[in-house]
Amino acid sequence: MVHDLAASQAFYHELFGWEFEEGPSQLGLYARAMRDGHPVAGLGEIAPGLRRVVAWLPYIATRDADGTAAAVRECGGTVAVGPLDVEGVGRLAIAADPSGAAFGLWQGGPRRRGSVRHPAGAPEWNELITAETAGVGKFYSMVFGYDAAPEPAVPAGTDQLTLSLGTRPVAGIRGVADALPHDRGPHWLTYFAVPDVDEALETVDRLGGRRAGEPQVSPFGRWARVTDPEGAPFAVIRPAGR
């Protein structure tokens, strides 16, 4: 959700090569981002006069948005919007976990057009940044059936969990204790795949975004955290082995 949809479209088009399709009218000013013919993200414009924190919001797939929304409430989370039907898209809701980190629920489309595995410019990973992992890890396990296990490929003493469905890792939780940003609180961070992290950082600088730290190398690839011109945090990553 952004304050200037046209400017944000121009930024992400230049950075990730996204093209845009006009979204469902029920979502207001909204555009679906496409990469190589596949839907990868969406951009919606915040109503004039409303000052909200600009952020990326990951949506978690569910076969039953109403049942999952009820489970969110039962497990200590909140549901702020929906569930509601969006014509041609599916049924969705916007919720928050007990720490206050917002996420979406998504039942139904859009369907990917053929098989695709993380093309450049598509989301590669989502990670919850929070004070500590134990409590929220249990929440996501109870609501979505994830297996929450310590991530073995990080330094000892790091508070980090991987959420998996069966044998497939789907997201991470990173506990940062007192390093949690006071202006944003617990939040989900989306990692977008890029072929070259340094080139992506130069593009972010040129287009008015901001680097939020130097590139880092992890077992999962080389990555860096940035913000777009409106301040929404995200990360760019060249996944290991690509």
Side-chain angles (χ1 to χ4, degrees), residues 31-232:
R32 186 178 300 166
M34 313 293 292
R35 186 71 166 97
D36 299 336
H38 301 281
V40 295
L43 296 175
E45 187 166 280
I46 298 168
L50 293 179
R51 303 307 301 178
R52 293 181 179 171
V53 174
V54 177
W56 281 101
L57 184 74
Y59 282 78
I60 301 174
T62 174
R63 292 187 176 91
D64 179 2
D66 294 85
T68 304
V72 167
R73 296 187 183 98
E74 290 169 2
C75 294
T78 58
V79 178
V81 177
L84 54 87
D85 290 320
V86 179
E87 183 179 357
V89 175
R91 189 162 175 79
L92 60 86
I94 297 175
D97 66 28
S99 76
F103 61 92
L105 303 175
W106 198 292
Q107 176 187 347
R111 301 297 183 188
R112 281 179 169 162
R113 301 170 187 175
S115 60
V116 59
R117 173 63 179 169
H118 303 303
E124 176 74 20
W125 188 247
N126 285 290
E127 182 177 63
L128 174 61
I129 310 299
T130 189
E132 56 85 26
T133 65
V136 290
K138 292 178 182 177
F139 169 84
Y140 287 98
S141 293
M142 293 173 65
V143 174
F144 297 103
Y146 294 141
D147 176 38
E151 174 52 57
V154 297
T158 301
D159 185 15
Q160 192 165 340
L161 298 178
T162 297
L163 302 178
S164 300
L165 282 174
T167 60
R168 183 167 64 94
V170 294
I173 305 178
R174 182 192 299 268
V176 297
D178 294 338
L180 191 67
H182 297 296
D183 61 341
R184 191 166 290 271
H187 63 281
W188 281 92
L189 182 71
T190 299
Y191 291 68
F192 293 96
V194 294
D196 187 306
V197 170
D198 294 299
E199 183 178 304
L201 291 175
E202 291 173 3
T203 303
V204 167
D205 290 339
R206 176 168 56 83
L207 297 175
R210 184 174 63 85
R211 305 185 190 205
E214 294 303 312
Q216 301 182 45
V217 177
S218 77
F220 314 106
R222 189 166 185 264
W223 66 281
R225 183 167 174 158
V226 299
T227 62
D228 70 15
E230 291 201 21

